[in-house]
Amino acid sequence: MKLSGKRSTLSRGAPDRQSFLKNLQNTAHRFSLWKAGDSMIVAVSGGPDSLCLLDCLVALGKKYDWKLHIAHVNYSLRGEESDLDEWLVRERAGFYALPVTVLHPDMSDYAGNLEARLRDIRYNFFETIRVQLGFDAIAVAHNRDDQAETVLLRLLRGSGLRGLGAMRPRAGVIIRPLLLTSREDILRYLKENALPFRIDGSNTDPKFTRNRVRHELLPVLETLNPNIRDTLARSALSLADDIDLLERCIDGAHSVIENADGSGFSLLVTNFLVLSDASQRSTLRALIERFSDSTLPPSFSTIEEMRNFIASTKNKVAEKSFCGLKFMRRGARVSVLREK
């Protein structure tokens, strides 16, 4: 892990700093990411993307009269390196005169799929702060290259159409102002504006699938299409629009849901089975998105397992868990509850 960059300044930007900020504003306008007077939790890891985002939001905040609050998670997985990340985030908070809240999770909570668990921990933390402070949004620093990698990862997992739509510039209270910005442009912005950031050595560790996609698969694909990152990112946005249209067309399929509340729902098997295959899949994905705490979309195989479980006539009484939800079939009715 290395510390890069020099002392930052908001008064002496690079010649194209304004064009970089203008591009962010264009993205925000296109996807309705913010308005004047908004309040935002800014997720800052200490890496280049999040510190670029923080600098941009501080600069634009003067125009839009925003209220900003920094949030950082120190997972303590890299010992002193994790503490140095936290130190830099706190230093930047002081530099910009912004409040900061830091979470030190209990490492006993890391059981299971580590990447998924850490993702759940941080997003739950961000949302908790947002609700406590009564803020409008949570700004995270995913960029165009992250989007391209996510599309490939979900394709490899066998995700359905919704999964291939990948990340959206706005998803509820989550906003991603840098999602159309390349990693190369972000690093150039940091260099030209002398902004410090931390380099996480684990980002090259091949034991993580995302790293192999980033450092092995994408370079191969670039030999076939030099603009593959742009192509994948644009395709994800286009698919997301197509998904929205399809779901508006089949909203009536969701009428099979009964007794929905904060803890779960139920459905009649006969009503579910008369839906088309596509409507069944769409309904199940929508239910998982609404009721599950998982931040990952279900794979195609998971959706098919759920459909088979609901349609099965082998046992009148059966139970099975999917995506943090417990499905319980009792005769002609399936009840679904959040797992504790």
Side-chain angles (χ1 to χ4, degrees), residues 3-183:
L3 181 64
S4 301
K6 302 176 182 178
R7 177 176 172 81
S8 67
T9 173
L10 290 178
S11 60
R12 293 183 303 168
D16 65 344
R17 185 167 193 260
Q18 291 307 311
S19 63
F20 189 97
L21 295 175
K22 182 64 176 177
N23 287 337
L24 254 63
Q25 292 180 87
N26 290 340
T27 298
H29 177 74
R30 177 179 173 186
F31 298 102
S32 301
L33 300 188
W34 58 55
K35 60 184 183 302
D38 274 352
S39 52
M40 303 180 202
I41 303 298
V42 188
V44 183
S45 67
D49 301 337
S50 64
L51 284 170
C52 173
L53 175 64
L54 176 62
D55 188 76
C56 291
L57 292 181
V58 169
L60 293 172
K62 296 178 179 179
K63 172 182 178 180
Y64 290 101
D65 190 29
W66 288 331
K67 184 183 294 184
L68 304 176
H69 187 109
I70 298 172
H72 174 75
V73 182
N74 182 345
Y75 299 110
S76 301
L77 289 172
R78 301 186 311 279
E80 183 182 3
E81 296 297 320
S82 295
D83 293 336
L84 289 172
D85 292 348
E86 178 182 336
W87 175 86
L88 178 60
V89 173
R90 290 187 182 277
E91 189 276 333
R92 292 290 87 191
F95 180 82
Y96 295 121
L98 292 175
V100 58
T101 301
V102 176
L103 175 69
H104 294 86
D106 187 333
M107 295 183 72
S108 65
D109 293 334
Y110 296 172
N113 182 307
L114 183 61
E115 286 185 90
R117 190 69 194 111
L118 299 185
R119 184 185 302 105
D120 290 343
I121 287 171
R122 65 176 171 268
Y123 277 101
N124 288 338
F125 170 57
F126 300 153
E127 176 63 6
T128 296
I129 299 176
R130 188 193 71 80
V131 172
Q132 288 177 347
L133 296 178
F135 274 29
D136 300 304
I138 300 167
V140 295
H142 294 118
N143 61 48
R144 180 211 64 180
D145 296 58
D146 294 324
Q147 179 80 304
E149 294 159 11
T150 299
V151 172
L152 289 174
L153 283 166
R154 293 184 177 179
L155 185 62
L156 292 170
R157 288 180 61 239
S159 292
L161 185 63
R162 187 173 187 83
L164 295 179
M167 297 179 288
R168 305 189 184 200
R170 172 178 281 279
V173 298
I174 304 293
I175 61 171
R176 298 181 172 92
L178 293 174
L179 198 59
L180 304 187
T181 305
S182 71
R183 186 173 290 129

Side-chain angles (χ1 to χ4, degrees), residues 302-330:
T302 298
I303 292 295
E304 293 306 283
E305 283 188 62
M306 294 168 67
R307 293 177 61 218
N308 291 337
F309 175 83
I310 293 171
S312 176
T313 58
K314 291 182 179 179
N315 299 303
K316 291 185 177 180
V317 177
E319 294 185 2
K320 193 164 185 179
S321 295
F322 301 96
C323 304
L325 300 175
K326 179 179 286 187
F327 282 63
M328 297 166 286
R329 190 175 65 246
R330 301 289 187 272

